[in-house]
Amino acid sequence: MRIGIDYISALSHGGNATYSRELCRWLPRVASGEEFIFFDYVHDWLQGRPRERFPRVVYVPAILSAFGRKELIGVSDRVSCFLEQRSVRKQNIDVFHFTNPLQYRDLHCATVVTIHDLAPYHDSSWAKARSQTLLDNKLAAMIKNCRKFIAVSEFTKRDLVQYTNLAPEKISVIYEAANSDFYPDADRVHVERVYGLTNFILCVGQLQPRKNTLGLIEAYAGLPASLRKNFSLVFVGQYREREYKEKVEALIKKLRVNDHIVFLGGMKQAEMRKLYSCAYISTFPSLFEGFGLPVVESIACGTPVIVSNTSSLPEVAGTSCLLVDPHNVSQISATLERVLLDQTLYQNLKNNISQDAGRFSWKKTAEETLQTYDSILSDH
């Protein structure tokens, strides 16, 4: 079987890119006789950008307007679509996998698409207007043309059925996982020397309304002053937009917690691993998630998580997590206070880490994805 994958999705940032990148790394490892064709940026191809090397993997330049850089190759949408289809035929692709639905194109071959979430259908402010419009335009075509869909949680599968009337049997639920860069690495000397942090509460993720950054700051401000003095609140992630940054800064000023909240921006995974491992507790009070990678990353690093009880997150959270209503600031604050003060509760959460850490793996994700490819061909 020859499998085409839009490798371009792996070259970005964020949860979707992590999924694409890890899947592309693991599929060749678990495959037996399958061959993989990774469709890459034309521009990067011509510039000779180094690529990861895998067995039975061929990289080809993608002349794709939807998931390439059309302005760099100067062709119309209709022409580029024709070139895409011809390229897929030339490579004798049996199944093409779009790991990001925004990249979808009808390539006139058996196709599977991964759906990470349908957040814009719950609240339009949770996605950029361009992304929402693009998804709206592509969903109908995907439902018409795609053989199978992969949902990253049961919650996302239910959303797909509800919002698109897609037949449940066309959807495979295949979970994501923490990658191998995340493991216990409590280098406290490094974290204190580089970031000036000792005891801290950690929150990882893009700073945007859906992640409930404002709610977490309010909950933290509701802690007793003695706990705020002993435990800083640390955010790792970039702001999605300047306007939201201004809202966050105004709230921090209003609540007078400037001295206890730290923003570290984006960082490499090796540094994130150390922060996860050294944090006393991680928090992820997101309003909506298709999966929730920071939860499993924190668990992989040995740190319990306070996590929302909404959307997909109860599926991802294990016995080392405490569930909270993300809309209830008082409950988040009370749960934080409880876990910071109750050593018996905290130790029980820590003791459950080992069983939770083994629930998800990219190896299993890749194996189940291969089974989905097989089912596409066996059905026809």
Side-chain angles (χ1 to χ4, degrees):
M1 176 166 44
R2 288 175 65 80
I3 301 158
I5 298 180
D6 63 312
Y7 188 72
I8 288 166
S9 294
L11 304 176
S12 184
H13 304 283
N16 288 10
T18 298
Y19 168 84
S20 302
R21 192 161 49 246
E22 291 302 313
L23 192 63
C24 287
R25 286 173 178 168
W26 276 96
L27 280 171
R29 297 182 188 180
V30 302
S32 52
E34 291 81 4
E35 297 175 285
F36 298 90
I37 297 86
F38 291 173
F39 285 74
D40 205 351
Y41 275 132
V42 169
H43 178 263
D44 291 349
W45 177 272
L46 295 174
Q47 294 297 318
R49 179 183 55 78
R51 298 164 183 79
E52 292 189 72
R53 295 300 175 188
F54 306 103
R56 298 185 306 284
V57 169
V58 175
Y59 289 85
V60 299
I63 308 174
L64 304 167
S65 61
F67 58 101
R69 298 173 179 172
K70 184 173 67 174
E71 70 277 9
L72 293 175
I73 56 178
V75 296
S76 70
D77 187 71
R78 179 176 295 181
V79 170
S80 66
C81 186
F82 168 77
L83 292 172
E84 298 162 21
Q85 294 163 356
R86 190 177 70 172
S87 180
V88 166
R89 287 197 303 271
K90 182 179 179 181
Q91 294 295 332
N92 295 316
I93 302 295
D94 295 304
V95 176
F96 198 99
H97 186 175
F98 288 95
T99 57
N100 183 337
L102 298 184
Q103 315 290 11
Y104 172 75
R105 294 287 293 237
D106 182 9
L107 299 181
H108 292 181
C109 68
T111 304
V112 58
V113 177
T114 297
I115 304 294
H116 298 270
D117 64 69
L118 293 180
Y121 289 79
H122 290 260
D123 188 322
S124 60
S125 69
W126 290 345
K128 294 179 180 179
R130 181 180 178 277
S131 296
Q132 183 174 351
T133 301
L134 197 57
L135 182 60
D136 287 340
N137 293 339
K138 290 180 178 293
L139 264 178
M142 283 188 277
I143 293 167
K144 178 182 177 182
N145 299 319
C146 295
R147 299 273 181 88
K148 287 279 188 177
F149 290 79
I150 292 172
V152 297
S153 63
E154 291 287 351
F155 174 82
T156 297
K157 177 177 179 176
R158 291 194 296 272
D159 256 9
L160 264 174
V161 173
Q162 177 181 347
Y163 287 101
T164 70
N165 292 318
L166 189 65
E169 58 269 21
K170 290 189 70 173
I171 308 170
S172 300
V173 175
I174 304 177
Y175 290 109
E176 302 178 27
N179 72 32
S180 58
D181 288 337
F182 293 104
Y183 54 83
D185 183 18
D187 190 345
R188 302 188 187 283
V189 173
H190 174 86
V191 169
E192 183 172 5
R193 175 174 56 83
V194 176
Y195 305 107
L197 299 171
T198 50
N199 296 324
F200 61 97
I201 303 159
L202 181 66
C203 183
V204 174
Q206 188 182 56
L207 298 159
Q208 55 150 304
R210 180 166 62 86
K211 302 296 184 179
N212 201 21
T213 309
L214 297 176
L216 179 57
I217 291 170
E218 286 189 54
Y220 176 76
L223 292 174
S226 58
L227 286 179
R228 294 201 307 273
K229 181 179 179 181
N230 291 329
F231 292 91
S232 302
L233 175 59
V234 177
F235 288 95
V236 172
Q238 302 283 6
Y239 282 98
R240 192 180 78 178
E241 52 202 16
R242 187 183 65 183
E243 292 79 4
Y244 193 66
K245 179 180 180 181
E246 292 171 352
K247 287 183 179 180
V248 169
E249 291 172 343
L251 180 64
I252 291 173
K253 184 177 181 180
K254 175 185 175 182
L255 297 175
R256 299 180 180 179
V257 288
N258 308 57
D259 296 338
H260 306 296
I261 298 182
V262 179
F263 294 90
L264 297 179
M267 60 179 54
K268 294 181 179 180
Q269 290 185 342
E271 292 299 298
M272 286 175 59
R273 179 181 68 236
K274 295 180 188 301
L275 288 165
Y276 272 130
S277 301
C278 291
Y280 187 83
I281 190 82
S282 283
T283 55
F284 198 62
S286 179
L287 300 175
F288 183 97
E289 293 294 326
F291 182 77
L293 278 172
V295 178
V296 294
E297 290 171 353
S298 181
I299 291 171
C301 293
T303 300
V305 191
I306 294 174
V307 61
S308 298
N309 62 3
T310 59
S311 57
S312 66
L313 293 170
E315 295 178 59
V316 179
T319 55
S320 56
C321 300
L322 294 174
L323 297 177
V324 294
D325 179 354
H327 300 281
N328 190 330
V329 170
S330 297
Q331 185 183 112
I332 300 172
S333 186
T335 304
L336 270 172
E337 182 174 356
R338 182 179 166 215
V339 79
L340 294 176
L341 294 175
D342 188 337
Q343 285 299 307
T344 301
L345 169 64
Y346 182 74
Q347 195 55 52
N348 286 338
L349 296 175
K350 292 283 283 188
N351 291 341
N352 291 333
I353 287 284
S354 58
Q355 71 180 60
D356 287 349
R359 292 175 62 217
F360 306 106
S361 75
W362 283 113
K363 180 176 183 289
K364 183 178 180 182
T365 301
E367 289 171 342
E368 293 179 355
T369 302
L370 277 176
Q371 291 170 13
T372 300
Y373 301 154
D374 286 333
S375 71
I376 291 174
L377 298 182
S378 61
D379 289 345
H380 291 77

